[in-house]
Amino acid sequence: MLTQTYSSPARAWPALGIAPGQVLRAFGMRRSGNHAIISWLQRNAPEGRSVFFNNCKPGQHPLQSFRGMEVNGAHAPQNKARRDMASVTGAAGDGALVLISYEDTSPAEFGADRQVSGTFDETRLSSNVLIYRSFLNWSASLLKKLQANEGYSLVRRNAILLRAMDTYTRLLGLVRQAKELALVAICYDSWVAKDSYRTAVLTQLGLAEPGQAPRDNSLGEVQPYGGGSSFQKQAKTAAELQVDRRWQQMRGDAEFQALLHLAARDTALIDELTVLFPQDAEFLATVAQQPPLPQAVRA
């Protein structure tokens, strides 16, 4: 599970060669707007200075298991960083924002015997951030992404989807307890829709002063991670994306219909959605009333 309180991280990390300011560890399912939100956090870092460790491996130290990194918003040479981290991250300077991200991982799946960040000292964290998205749009976007991979059979796609749905449910369980556990939960749907929501989150994280405009509160550019948008490959800015219509765009897809029938019968998922996304829960309730297959007609 997550540690609830943290000491100040404003002390030098020997490996980084800097004394970070805010240190955030983010969790989110793929296709939940992780990279759009992380890019926004980087743009609102002090003077735009940041170090981002992307898609770290669960159960291992993030500085040893990252699958990509950026310094001050630009991609950084991974091989050089693995040999001499400070020679790459030092450019961010003292007081920079440090971001550590995990994808398709819920910290609820970890415990005292196995820490989500391995031997990493969690007292160096300022906050844990949970990034989440409405179920219907998230599942539609993930399926669309998986369908584009020609190497995935239908069985493999659905195995990934069902495993992801279980992790998604566990993540929502933590979102409901965010205040109690001193976590910062960011809903992608609200983040896209409301400038005021984005400002409030930045203020909560200490990246904006109360009553003052943030450095950059735009949605930014479409991030290239994961191939960008699954639906709008030509979109350049996030403001162009119709992220609230993904499930309607997949509504006629047979695989998506099958997934919805399974989801509608997952009581744990429905319990979480009833609290966080009641409209999704209400729609799935109507799906549950429909037979998955048409009634057989005998001559």
Side-chain angles (χ1 to χ4, degrees):
M1 284 293 292
L2 294 171
T3 305
Q4 295 187 31
T5 57
Y6 309 97
S7 62
S8 171
R11 53 193 173 98
W13 292 15
L16 294 180
I18 61 173
Q22 298 285 83
V23 182
L24 307 179
R25 182 172 61 177
F27 299 90
M29 305 301 296
R30 279 180 293 172
R31 320 318 290 182
S32 289
N34 295 347
H35 291 104
I37 289 173
I38 287 173
S39 172
W40 165 72
L41 293 174
Q42 289 174 277
R43 297 195 309 274
N44 285 283
E47 300 175 3
R49 296 181 293 107
S50 63
V51 178
F52 168 42
F53 296 99
N54 179 50
N55 195 14
C56 299
K57 188 172 182 179
Q60 296 187 15
H61 195 292
L63 272 63
Q64 300 167 358
S65 65
F66 60 90
R67 296 180 175 94
M69 66 180 296
E70 296 179 8
V71 175
N72 297 335
H75 287 281
Q78 295 182 55
N79 291 337
K80 181 179 180 181
R82 294 186 192 283
R83 294 193 303 269
D84 183 1
M85 180 68 72
S87 68
V88 176
T89 56
D94 289 347
L97 171 68
V98 172
L99 285 154
I100 299 166
S101 83
Y102 291 88
E103 297 180 18
D104 293 349
T105 299
S106 169
E109 300 172 344
F110 292 78
D113 58 332
R114 182 172 180 247
Q115 298 294 321
V116 67
S117 293
T119 59
F120 177 76
D121 180 5
E122 293 193 357
T123 65
R124 296 178 174 183
L125 295 169
S126 305
S127 299
N128 277 304
V129 175
L130 307 178
I131 299 172
Y132 66 109
R133 185 181 186 183
S134 60
F135 175 75
L136 293 177
N137 286 313
W138 166 73
S139 58
S141 185
L142 179 57
L143 175 57
K144 182 74 170 178
K145 170 65 177 175
L146 294 173
Q147 287 177 335
N149 191 324
E150 296 180 356
Y152 285 5
S153 66
L154 182 147
V155 172
R156 185 176 182 186
R157 282 197 301 270
N158 283 274
I160 294 172
L161 278 164
L162 292 177
R163 178 68 182 87
M165 193 164 72
D166 182 64
T167 302
Y168 172 89
T169 302
R170 293 171 182 266
L171 191 67
L172 291 190
L174 287 180
V175 170
R176 284 195 300 105
Q177 304 174 71
K179 186 174 182 180
E180 174 187 346
L181 297 176
L183 310 175
V184 178
I186 305 177
C187 176
Y188 179 57
D189 309 69
S190 299
W191 180 84
V192 169
K194 300 177 183 178
D195 179 271
S196 59
Y197 180 87
R198 298 194 293 275
T199 298
V201 171
L202 289 175
T203 302
Q204 182 181 5
L205 289 171
L207 295 175
E209 294 294 331
Q212 295 185 11
R215 285 173 51 85
D216 182 350
N217 210 19
S218 70
L219 300 181
E221 298 180 355
V222 175
Q223 297 298 298
Y225 295 97
S229 171
S230 301
F231 292 82
Q232 296 171 261
K233 290 299 184 184
Q234 304 306 314
K236 298 298 183 183
T237 66
E240 299 175 56
L241 301 178
Q242 300 172 331
V243 297
D244 60 337
R245 301 187 65 248
R246 298 315 188 202
W247 78 272
Q248 289 99 329
Q249 294 166 335
M250 289 290 286
R251 193 167 184 167
D253 184 277
E255 281 186 70
F256 187 55
Q257 292 172 4
L259 177 66
L260 293 182
H261 274 285
L262 289 173
R265 291 158 175 80
D266 185 333
T267 55
L269 173 63
I270 296 301
D271 286 347
E272 301 297 348
L273 295 180
T274 299
V275 177
L276 295 171
F277 297 107
Q279 290 184 328
D280 284 16
E282 289 172 10
F283 177 77
L284 290 175
T286 67
V287 172
Q289 296 171 6
Q290 306 296 322
L293 295 174
Q295 296 296 319
V297 178
R298 293 180 180 273

